[in-house]
Amino acid sequence: GLANPAIAASVDGSIVAQGNYWGTLDQQLIQSFVLDKSDSFDWKTLIDTSNALAAPNPSTPTGSILQKQQAAKAAADADAKAAADAKAAADAKAAADAKAALLPAEAWPGHFPSYLQAGKTTDISFTFANAAGNLAEGTVVLFEAQGAGMIAIPKAVTDASGIATAKVITRGQGPLIVKATAVTGKAQAQAQLTVGATQVTVSTSGKKALINYVFAAGKKITVSGLQTKPISISAADDNPQTSSYLLKKGNYKVVVSVAGSTILKTTVVIK
Protein backbone atom coordinates (compact mmCIF):
# COMPACT_ATOMS: atom_id res chain seq x y z
CA GLY A 1 0.00 0.00 0.00
CA LEU A 2 0.96 3.65 -0.11
CA ALA A 3 3.17 4.99 2.65
CA ASN A 4 1.37 8.39 2.66
CA PRO A 5 -1.94 8.09 0.76
CA ALA A 6 -3.94 11.22 -0.01
CA ILE A 7 -7.11 9.49 1.21
CA ALA A 8 -7.55 6.22 3.07
CA ALA A 9 -10.98 4.51 3.35
CA SER A 10 -10.79 3.92 7.10
CA VAL A 11 -14.45 4.73 7.87
CA ASP A 12 -17.68 2.87 7.10
CA GLY A 13 -19.94 4.19 4.36
CA SER A 14 -19.22 5.77 1.02
CA ILE A 15 -16.50 8.38 0.63
CA VAL A 16 -17.10 10.96 -2.11
CA ALA A 17 -13.97 12.62 -3.47
CA GLN A 18 -15.47 13.86 -6.75
CA GLY A 19 -14.50 17.16 -8.29
CA ASN A 20 -11.08 17.42 -6.66
CA TYR A 21 -7.81 18.51 -8.21
CA TRP A 22 -5.18 15.75 -8.21
CA GLY A 23 -2.61 17.29 -10.50
CA THR A 24 -3.69 14.87 -13.25
CA LEU A 25 -6.84 13.69 -15.02
CA ASP A 26 -5.54 10.12 -15.32
CA GLN A 27 -7.92 8.03 -13.18
CA GLN A 28 -5.43 5.18 -12.97
CA LEU A 29 -2.84 7.56 -11.57
CA ILE A 30 -5.41 9.18 -9.27
CA GLN A 31 -6.39 5.75 -7.93
CA SER A 32 -2.77 5.24 -6.97
CA PHE A 33 -3.18 8.16 -4.59
CA VAL A 34 -5.89 6.49 -2.52
CA LEU A 35 -6.27 3.32 -0.46
CA ASP A 36 -9.71 1.73 -0.56
CA LYS A 37 -11.48 -1.57 -0.96
CA SER A 38 -10.13 -1.97 -4.50
CA ASP A 39 -6.63 -2.25 -3.00
CA SER A 40 -7.47 -4.57 -0.12
CA PHE A 41 -10.48 -5.89 1.72
CA ASP A 42 -8.81 -4.50 4.82
CA TRP A 43 -10.18 -1.13 3.73
CA LYS A 44 -13.88 -0.64 4.42
CA THR A 45 -15.24 1.03 1.25
CA LEU A 46 -14.49 2.48 -2.18
CA ILE A 47 -13.50 6.10 -2.77
CA ASP A 48 -15.16 7.89 -5.72
CA THR A 49 -12.56 10.13 -7.43
CA SER A 50 -14.47 10.85 -10.63
CA ASN A 51 -14.82 14.27 -12.31
CA ALA A 52 -11.27 15.28 -11.45
CA LEU A 53 -10.43 18.96 -12.07
CA ALA A 54 -7.86 20.08 -14.57
CA ALA A 55 -6.87 23.01 -12.32
CA PRO A 56 -7.28 23.83 -8.62
CA ASN A 57 -10.63 25.29 -7.55
CA PRO A 58 -9.82 28.88 -6.44
CA SER A 59 -12.52 28.73 -3.72
CA THR A 60 -10.97 25.67 -2.09
CA PRO A 61 -8.73 26.58 0.89
CA THR A 62 -5.17 25.38 0.58
CA GLY A 63 -3.39 24.00 3.60
CA SER A 64 -1.65 27.33 4.26
CA ILE A 65 -4.90 29.34 3.96
CA LEU A 66 -6.71 26.97 6.30
CA GLN A 67 -3.87 27.21 8.77
CA LYS A 68 -4.02 31.00 8.61
CA GLN A 69 -7.77 30.92 9.19
CA GLN A 70 -7.36 28.62 12.16
CA ALA A 71 -4.55 30.77 13.55
CA ALA A 72 -6.65 33.92 13.11
CA LYS A 73 -9.60 32.33 14.92
CA ALA A 74 -7.35 31.13 17.73
CA ALA A 75 -5.88 34.64 18.08
CA ALA A 76 -9.37 36.20 18.11
CA ASP A 77 -10.50 33.71 20.76
CA ALA A 78 -7.41 34.49 22.84
CA ASP A 79 -8.04 38.24 22.53
CA ALA A 80 -11.68 37.81 23.55
CA LYS A 81 -10.67 35.74 26.58
CA ALA A 82 -8.01 38.27 27.56
CA ALA A 83 -10.56 41.09 27.29
CA ALA A 84 -13.08 39.14 29.37
CA ASP A 85 -10.43 38.36 32.01
CA ALA A 86 -9.35 42.01 32.11
CA LYS A 87 -12.95 43.17 32.56
CA ALA A 88 -13.54 40.63 35.33
CA ALA A 89 -10.37 41.79 37.09
CA ALA A 90 -11.39 45.46 36.70
CA ASP A 91 -14.88 44.75 38.05
CA ALA A 92 -13.43 42.87 41.03
CA LYS A 93 -11.02 45.73 41.77
CA ALA A 94 -13.83 48.31 41.48
CA ALA A 95 -15.93 46.29 43.91
CA ALA A 96 -13.01 46.02 46.33
CA ASP A 97 -12.27 49.74 46.01
CA ALA A 98 -15.92 50.61 46.61
CA LYS A 99 -15.89 48.50 49.76
CA ALA A 100 -12.64 50.00 50.97
CA ALA A 101 -13.32 53.64 50.12
CA LEU A 102 -15.28 55.00 53.08
CA LEU A 103 -16.96 58.36 52.86
CA PRO A 104 -15.36 61.29 54.71
CA ALA A 105 -16.59 62.53 58.05
CA GLU A 106 -18.48 65.46 56.54
CA ALA A 107 -20.84 63.12 54.71
CA TRP A 108 -21.52 60.84 57.67
CA PRO A 109 -21.48 62.84 60.93
CA GLY A 110 -21.45 61.00 64.23
CA HIS A 111 -24.39 60.82 66.61
CA PHE A 112 -23.43 62.78 69.71
CA PRO A 113 -24.35 65.81 71.85
CA SER A 114 -22.17 68.89 71.52
CA TYR A 115 -21.93 69.40 75.30
CA LEU A 116 -20.94 66.83 77.91
CA GLN A 117 -20.80 66.98 81.69
CA ALA A 118 -17.40 66.49 83.27
CA GLY A 119 -16.79 63.23 85.13
CA LYS A 120 -19.20 61.10 83.10
CA THR A 121 -18.87 58.21 80.64
CA THR A 122 -20.66 58.90 77.35
CA ASP A 123 -21.17 56.95 74.14
CA ILE A 124 -20.05 58.77 70.98
CA SER A 125 -21.19 56.99 67.81
CA PHE A 126 -19.90 57.42 64.26
CA THR A 127 -21.49 56.11 61.05
CA PHE A 128 -19.36 54.91 58.11
CA ALA A 129 -20.46 53.95 54.60
CA ASN A 130 -18.62 53.01 51.41
CA ALA A 131 -18.43 55.01 48.20
CA ALA A 132 -21.51 53.23 46.84
CA GLY A 133 -23.52 54.55 49.78
CA ASN A 134 -23.84 51.19 51.47
CA LEU A 135 -23.35 51.11 55.23
CA ALA A 136 -19.93 49.65 56.06
CA GLU A 137 -20.46 46.69 58.37
CA GLY A 138 -17.50 44.93 60.02
CA THR A 139 -15.03 47.81 59.65
CA VAL A 140 -12.44 48.19 62.41
CA VAL A 141 -12.42 51.74 63.81
CA LEU A 142 -9.74 53.24 66.09
CA PHE A 143 -10.57 56.07 68.53
CA GLU A 144 -8.49 58.80 70.12
CA ALA A 145 -9.34 61.81 72.29
CA GLN A 146 -7.74 65.22 72.57
CA GLY A 147 -8.60 67.70 75.33
CA ALA A 148 -10.98 67.27 78.25
CA GLY A 149 -11.50 63.52 78.07
CA MET A 150 -10.11 60.08 77.35
CA ILE A 151 -11.18 56.93 75.46
CA ALA A 152 -12.16 53.96 77.62
CA ILE A 153 -11.87 51.39 74.80
CA PRO A 154 -9.68 52.45 71.84
CA LYS A 155 -11.15 50.15 69.18
CA ALA A 156 -14.58 49.03 67.90
CA VAL A 157 -16.11 47.31 64.86
CA THR A 158 -18.99 48.83 62.89
CA ASP A 159 -22.33 47.04 63.25
CA ALA A 160 -24.88 46.24 60.52
CA SER A 161 -25.85 49.94 60.46
CA GLY A 162 -22.24 51.02 59.86
CA ILE A 163 -22.00 52.46 63.39
CA ALA A 164 -18.93 52.28 65.64
CA THR A 165 -19.32 53.56 69.21
CA ALA A 166 -16.62 55.01 71.43
CA LYS A 167 -16.94 55.19 75.23
CA VAL A 168 -15.58 58.57 76.30
CA ILE A 169 -14.73 59.52 79.89
CA THR A 170 -14.90 63.31 80.32
CA ARG A 171 -12.62 65.09 82.76
CA GLY A 172 -11.91 68.74 83.53
CA GLN A 173 -13.57 71.43 81.44
CA GLY A 174 -13.04 72.80 77.95
CA PRO A 175 -12.98 71.50 74.37
CA LEU A 176 -12.81 67.78 73.57
CA ILE A 177 -12.14 66.26 70.16
CA VAL A 178 -12.91 62.58 69.59
CA LYS A 179 -11.49 61.11 66.38
CA ALA A 180 -12.62 57.87 64.74
CA THR A 181 -10.40 56.38 62.02
CA ALA A 182 -11.52 53.42 59.91
CA VAL A 183 -8.61 51.03 59.36
CA THR A 184 -9.98 50.12 55.91
CA GLY A 185 -9.71 53.11 53.60
CA LYS A 186 -8.32 55.33 56.39
CA ALA A 187 -11.54 57.39 56.45
CA GLN A 188 -11.75 59.64 59.50
CA ALA A 189 -14.61 61.28 61.37
CA GLN A 190 -14.42 63.50 64.41
CA ALA A 191 -16.70 64.97 67.07
CA GLN A 192 -15.97 68.43 68.47
CA LEU A 193 -17.42 68.68 71.98
CA THR A 194 -17.39 70.96 74.99
CA VAL A 195 -17.01 69.58 78.52
CA GLY A 196 -18.14 71.46 81.61
CA ALA A 197 -19.97 71.50 84.94
CA THR A 198 -23.69 72.18 85.36
CA GLN A 199 -24.53 75.87 84.95
CA VAL A 200 -27.86 77.66 85.51
CA THR A 201 -28.57 81.35 84.92
CA VAL A 202 -31.74 83.45 85.15
CA SER A 203 -32.59 86.28 82.76
CA THR A 204 -35.67 88.10 81.46
CA SER A 205 -37.26 88.84 78.12
CA GLY A 206 -40.21 91.21 78.25
CA LYS A 207 -42.61 89.73 80.82
CA LYS A 208 -40.91 86.34 80.80
CA ALA A 209 -38.34 84.88 83.16
CA LEU A 210 -35.82 82.68 81.35
CA ILE A 211 -34.08 79.80 83.08
CA ASN A 212 -30.97 78.93 81.06
CA TYR A 213 -29.06 75.74 81.79
CA VAL A 214 -26.27 73.65 80.26
CA PHE A 215 -24.37 70.45 81.24
CA ALA A 216 -27.50 69.50 83.18
CA ALA A 217 -28.52 66.06 81.86
CA GLY A 218 -29.77 63.87 84.69
CA LYS A 219 -29.63 66.76 87.17
CA LYS A 220 -32.81 67.93 88.90
CA ILE A 221 -33.06 71.73 88.72
CA THR A 222 -35.44 73.40 91.18
CA VAL A 223 -36.45 77.05 90.83
CA SER A 224 -38.29 78.72 93.72
CA GLY A 225 -39.83 82.19 93.86
CA LEU A 226 -41.32 82.49 90.37
CA GLN A 227 -44.56 80.65 91.04
CA THR A 228 -46.56 79.60 94.08
CA LYS A 229 -44.87 76.19 94.01
CA PRO A 230 -41.23 75.43 93.13
CA ILE A 231 -40.59 74.67 89.47
CA SER A 232 -38.84 71.37 88.69
CA ILE A 233 -36.78 71.10 85.48
CA SER A 234 -35.20 67.95 84.01
CA ALA A 235 -32.77 68.32 81.10
CA ALA A 236 -32.83 65.66 78.39
CA ASP A 237 -29.17 66.23 77.49
CA ASP A 238 -26.20 68.49 78.27
CA ASN A 239 -26.78 70.95 75.41
CA PRO A 240 -27.80 74.55 76.28
CA GLN A 241 -31.54 74.84 76.90
CA THR A 242 -34.00 77.46 78.12
CA SER A 243 -37.31 77.23 79.96
CA SER A 244 -39.49 80.37 79.98
CA TYR A 245 -42.24 81.50 82.39
CA LEU A 246 -44.70 84.34 81.85
CA LEU A 247 -44.91 86.58 84.93
CA LYS A 248 -46.88 89.56 86.16
CA LYS A 249 -45.28 92.90 86.94
CA GLY A 250 -43.22 92.76 90.10
CA ASN A 251 -40.04 91.68 91.81
CA TYR A 252 -39.35 87.97 92.32
CA LYS A 253 -36.73 86.58 94.65
CA VAL A 254 -35.47 83.46 92.91
CA VAL A 255 -33.51 80.56 94.38
CA VAL A 256 -32.03 77.92 92.06
CA SER A 257 -30.80 74.55 93.30
CA VAL A 258 -29.28 71.59 91.46
CA ALA A 259 -29.58 68.11 92.92
CA GLY A 260 -30.66 69.68 96.23
CA SER A 261 -27.76 72.16 96.48
CA THR A 262 -28.39 75.88 96.10
CA ILE A 263 -26.24 77.38 93.34
CA LEU A 264 -27.90 80.74 92.67
CA LYS A 265 -29.94 83.43 94.40
CA THR A 266 -31.13 86.44 92.40
CA THR A 267 -33.98 88.91 91.95
CA VAL A 268 -36.06 88.97 88.79
CA VAL A 269 -37.71 92.31 87.98
CA ILE A 270 -40.69 92.37 85.59
CA LYS A 271 -41.78 95.89 84.62
Side-chain angles (χ1 to χ4, degrees), residues 98 101 103 129-134:
L103 293 182
N130 61 32
N134 300 315

Side-chain angles (χ1 to χ4, degrees), residues 20-270:
N20 283 301
Y21 174 69
W22 301 92
T24 179
L25 296 178
D26 186 341
Q27 276 296 321
Q28 185 174 355
L29 183 57
I30 291 173
Q31 281 298 316
S32 70
F33 297 155
V34 301
L35 287 176
D36 60 8
K37 198 170 183 180
S38 64
D39 296 296
S40 170
F41 287 111
D42 292 336
W43 302 102
K44 300 179 181 294
T45 188
L46 293 174
I47 299 175
D48 183 358
T49 59
S50 61
N51 299 324
L53 300 178
N57 186 335
S59 64
T60 301
T62 64
S64 60
I65 294 175
L66 183 59
Q67 289 172 354
K68 289 179 181 179
Q69 291 175 338
Q70 292 173 338
K73 184 179 184 305
D77 291 345
D79 289 344
K81 184 178 185 303
D85 291 346
K87 184 178 184 304
D91 290 345
K93 183 177 184 302
D97 289 347
K99 183 176 181 180
L102 300 182
L103 293 182
E106 293 76 23
W108 295 89
H111 305 290
F112 43 78
S114 297
Y115 293 77
L116 296 174
Q117 284 183 51
K120 294 180 65 177
T121 299
T122 305
D123 288 346
I124 306 295
S125 297
F126 299 87
T127 301
F128 290 92
N130 61 32
N134 300 315
L135 296 172
E137 180 181 2
T139 296
V140 176
V141 178
L142 304 179
F143 302 111
E144 61 177 305
Q146 298 175 357
M150 61 182 291
I151 303 296
I153 302 174
K155 182 170 67 174
V157 178
T158 55
D159 60 18
S161 298
I163 295 175
T165 301
K167 286 195 175 295
V168 179
I169 301 173
T170 56
R171 57 186 182 183
Q173 298 188 51
L176 168 63
I177 296 176
V178 178
K179 293 183 179 180
T181 303
V183 174
T184 303
K186 301 298 183 183
Q188 188 176 88
Q190 71 176 28
Q192 295 187 354
L193 314 167
T194 302
V195 178
T198 303
Q199 301 173 24
V200 182
T201 60
V202 180
S203 60
T204 60
S205 176
K207 294 186 178 299
K208 291 182 178 180
L210 306 178
I211 312 300
N212 312 294
Y213 44 96
V214 64
F215 307 116
K219 300 291 184 69
K220 183 180 179 180
I221 301 172
T222 303
V223 181
S224 302
L226 291 179
Q227 297 180 349
T228 304
K229 294 182 179 181
I231 299 169
S232 181
I233 300 173
S234 296
D237 56 48
D238 286 318
N239 291 329
Q241 299 174 60
T242 298
S243 297
S244 63
Y245 302 91
L246 184 63
L247 301 175
K248 294 180 180 180
K249 181 179 178 180
N251 296 339
Y252 298 83
K253 294 185 179 299
V254 178
V255 177
V256 177
S257 61
V258 176
S261 299
T262 299
I263 65 167
L264 176 66
K265 291 181 179 181
T266 186
T267 299
V268 172
V269 178
I270 302 297

